[in-house]
Amino acid sequence: MNAFEKISLPGVKKIIVVASGKGGVGKSTISSNLAVALARQGLKVALTDADIYGPSVPRMFGIEHLKPEVRTEDGKEVMTPVEKFGVKIMSIGFFIERNQGLIWRGPMAANAITQLFENTLWGDIDYMIVDFPPGTGDIQLTTVQKLDLHGVILVTTPQEIAMNDARKAASMFTNHELNVPLLGIVENMSWFTPLQHPDEKYFIFGQGGAAMLASELKTSLLGQIPLVAEVGEAAEKGLPVYNLHDQSVSNAFEKVVEKLI
């Protein structure tokens, strides 16, 4: 298989990658809750954790202890994804110990991610969300080259340093050789609202940055996700934002999904 030979995923209709230029912007939180939000619309959804070195999706769904079923079909090992909240999930995190770090060079990591897509029995899927690692390395390039992508969603926070990294990520996807459509930008941690003062907004990391970036990149601002402490606490417990008392975050994800579909 050469670098640009496409992987066939027969039952998968649309593949959307969620990317950022840097870590710490909440990309896996966005990917996980976006997948759940799509599933809540009655769609068939898959989520692939493409972060080989730091997989966090199993933790976010509270399924770290589970292992996908592996069997042999036609002389090839195939895997059945783990399913929770209506989402079919696959991650390298299922196959390594929680405290084990992977020390792989780029080609090994790229080969692993290829197998994760190709050797999984996905079935019929309306939307596959791919949670990318931060940056623009081998895993991202391999995935972009080998999958027929519907498009990419960029995640950023309002700070200028995060948006600079988002610009770098965007330049990779819009490169004429790759030419992946930018579906839009999701701004995470947009503002903080104290529980006792629901009408107040504090723009801790700045304001309006993602809207300007979307205009600059000629794409849409899909949504702004407020900074709510409960989101991190829910993720630690393996719960989506729909389990929160604060409905502002789940409402924000509903709006993102409306624009996306």
Side-chain angles (χ1 to χ4, degrees), residues 4-142:
F4 290 90
E5 187 179 338
K6 298 292 184 181
I7 296 170
S8 175
L9 301 177
V12 180
K13 293 176 185 171
K14 291 182 179 178
I15 305 173
I16 296 173
V17 297
V18 177
S20 67
K22 71 189 297 294
V25 296
K27 180 180 43 52
S28 294
T29 301
I30 301 296
S31 300
S32 299
N33 285 290
L34 179 59
V36 174
L38 286 163
R40 285 171 63 91
Q41 296 292 319
L43 296 161
K44 296 174 181 176
V45 182
L47 173 61
T48 305
D49 184 356
D51 195 341
I52 295 292
Y53 298 108
S56 54
V57 166
R59 178 71 179 270
M60 293 194 161
F61 279 81
I63 51 177
E64 290 174 295
H65 59 291
L66 298 180
K67 299 287 183 190
E69 179 192 335
V70 181
R71 65 178 187 270
T72 302
E73 282 189 8
D74 301 323
K76 183 173 86 170
E77 279 196 342
V78 292
M79 303 170 285
T80 302
V82 176
E83 190 164 349
K84 191 169 184 183
F85 303 128
V87 180
K88 291 182 177 179
I89 304 158
M90 185 54 73
S91 169
I92 198 74
F94 291 131
F95 304 100
I96 59 175
E97 297 299 322
R98 288 171 59 178
N99 59 352
Q100 177 188 352
L102 290 180
I103 308 171
W104 286 353
R105 293 188 184 276
M108 286 180 69
N111 185 54
I113 198 64
T114 300
Q115 289 185 45
L116 214 58
F117 286 108
E118 201 168 26
N119 294 7
T120 298
L121 300 170
W122 296 109
D124 291 326
I125 297 294
D126 296 311
Y127 284 90
M128 174 182 281
I129 303 298
V130 181
D131 181 24
F132 262 6
T136 53
D138 286 336
I139 291 171
Q140 290 90 332
L141 286 170
T142 297

Side-chain angles (χ1 to χ4, degrees), residues 202-252:
Y202 295 91
F203 297 91
I204 299 172
F205 301 119
Q207 184 178 359
M212 286 192 299
L213 182 61
S215 176
E216 176 189 323
L217 297 175
K218 296 179 174 59
T219 189
S220 303
L221 177 60
L222 292 174
Q224 294 172 291
I225 312 298
L227 178 61
V228 175
E230 276 187 301
V231 173
E233 294 165 10
E236 288 294 323
K237 296 174 184 174
L239 298 171
V241 295
Y242 292 93
N243 290 71
L244 304 182
H245 297 298
D246 188 328
Q247 298 296 302
S248 63
V249 183
S250 55
N251 290 340

Side-chain angles (χ1 to χ4, degrees), residues 153-167:
I153 295 172
L154 290 178
V155 178
T156 185
T157 50
Q159 304 104 307
E160 186 60 38
I161 190 167
M163 289 190 295
N164 279 339
D165 288 322
R167 286 184 183 95

Side-chain angles (χ1 to χ4, degrees), residues 187-205:
E187 183 183 76
N188 197 20
M189 309 180 202
S190 296
W191 60 77
F192 171 69
T193 297
L195 205 57
Q196 300 83 355
H197 303 279
D199 296 327
E200 296 179 7
K201 288 182 179 179
Y202 295 91
F203 297 91
I204 299 172
F205 301 119

Side-chain angles (χ1 to χ4, degrees), residues 222-223 242 248-260:
L222 292 174
Y242 292 93
S248 63
V249 183
S250 55
N251 290 340
F253 275 101
E254 294 293 340
K255 290 175 183 174
V256 171
V257 165
E258 282 175 23
K259 289 185 179 180
L260 200 58

